[in-house]
Each structure stands twice: as C-alpha cells, then as structure tokens.
Amino acid sequence: MINLIPTSAKRKLLLEYWSRVISVWFLLWATALIASACILLPAYVLIGGKITAYEASSVAASEKVSGYENISSELATANTQAKKIIDEAKLVKFSNLLTLFSELQGSEVHINKIQLGRAKAGVAPVIMGGMADSRQSLASFRDRLLADSTIESVDLPISNLAQDKNIAFSITVVLRKQENI
C-alpha cells in the first residue's frame, strides 16, 4: 500500500513520521528528566540543609577552639605570674631585715644608712653606716649582730675604731642563706 502513495506525499509522510518519533523521544526524555529531578530534589535539599548545619557547627567549633587557645595562653601567662609570686614570697623580706637591725642597734648606736640588695642566692651583703657613741657600744653592736642566727659574718674595719667617741662606722653584714627571715 505504501507503493500506491505518490513520492511527494511519501516524503511528507516520512518527514511527519520522523518528526513525531523525535518529538515523542523528546517528550519521553523530558518526562524522565523531570521525574529524576523530582526524585533527586528532596535529597539535594536534605544535603544542602546538612551542609549548612555542619558549616554552622564547624564555625561554632572553630570559635571554641580559638577561645580555648586564648584561654590556654592566658592560663600560661597566669601560671608564669603565679610562679613569680611564689618565688618572690620565698625571698627574704627587706622589712624583716630592717626590723632586725633596728632591734639590734640599741640606744648607743644610730644607723643612718642601710644598703640592701638581692643576689642569686638570696640577699647580697648588707652595708650599714651610722654613728656610735663609743667603741664599746660599736663592739657590742657587732657582737649582737653575730649572735643572731640569721647573720653569718660581720665585717667591721679597724679604721672605724680609731676614735673614742662619736664614731662614724661602716659595717658589712653577710646573711645566712635562708628561705624567709
């Protein structure tokens, strides 16, 4: 029966046939793509939501980590300061030394200069200067200093004993190594 159709109509018929085949295939592909998009859309939305949630969680975690690092550095600084304070508390207090020297000076010796300093092992030798009423009062002051348990040695130069009265003196006192006096 196809043989009875004229060739011009045959061409039109063939063209119409292939146009319908191609349009049906396009419609099938479009339907398949729309169906697959509808199937994949919820998964895409769910994954996008999860990514957003994980990003927010990651940002919060990185803020906490930076906060922990700040706290860690502050804690290290505080530990250093606390160690320094503890070490300073173990050192000999100069006020205790001044009180000790003023108690030991008596009424006949007048101290008007005390030079205190720190050394690696504690207190550097103390240099005291002043006036003594007599040689005996200066010698007894030196003896009182030596009798104290915190004092290791007292250096009183002989030149300080050249006068009888109103003696200007300079004494070097070396302390024993102790934690606290």
Side-chain angles (χ1 to χ4, degrees), residues 1-169:
M1 195 135 99
I2 194 87
N3 292 337
L4 298 174
I5 301 175
T7 40
S8 64
K10 201 179 199 183
R11 272 192 198 144
K12 281 186 182 180
L13 188 63
L14 193 60
L15 188 62
E16 187 178 336
Y17 171 77
W18 282 111
S19 66
R20 286 184 183 185
V21 167
I22 291 173
S23 64
V24 167
W25 275 107
F26 278 132
L27 284 174
L28 285 174
W29 276 106
T31 306
L33 288 175
I34 290 173
S36 63
C38 289
I39 290 172
L40 294 176
L41 184 66
Y44 177 75
V45 170
L46 178 67
I47 290 172
K50 292 281 187 180
I51 288 173
T52 305
Y54 287 143
E55 284 177 351
S57 171
S58 172
V59 168
S62 65
E63 287 175 0
K64 284 183 181 179
V65 165
S66 67
Y68 291 147
E69 289 172 354
N70 291 340
I71 290 172
S72 175
S73 65
E74 289 174 8
L75 185 61
T77 304
N79 282 340
T80 304
Q81 291 172 347
K83 184 180 182 305
K84 194 172 202 174
I85 289 171
I86 289 171
D87 291 343
E88 288 289 325
K90 291 179 182 177
L91 295 176
V92 176
K93 294 181 179 73
F94 287 160
S95 61
N96 293 349
L97 291 174
L98 294 174
T99 304
L100 173 71
F101 295 143
S102 67
E103 288 174 356
L104 294 176
Q105 80 179 1
S107 62
E108 298 176 344
V109 176
H110 308 287
I111 299 173
N112 56 21
K113 178 184 106 174
I114 297 178
Q115 182 179 346
L116 297 168
R118 296 248 184 244
K120 286 185 179 180
V123 178
V126 178
I127 300 172
M128 289 189 289
M131 295 290 286
D133 291 346
S134 65
R135 283 186 203 159
Q136 183 60 36
S137 61
L138 186 56
S140 64
F141 176 56
R142 183 195 67 207
D143 292 340
R144 285 192 302 270
L145 287 172
L146 283 172
D148 193 273
S149 63
T150 59
I151 297 174
E152 185 174 316
S153 66
V154 176
D155 182 25
L156 177 63
I158 295 177
S159 63
N160 288 337
L161 300 174
Q163 298 175 339
D164 284 340
K165 294 184 179 184
N166 294 332
I167 302 169
F169 67 89

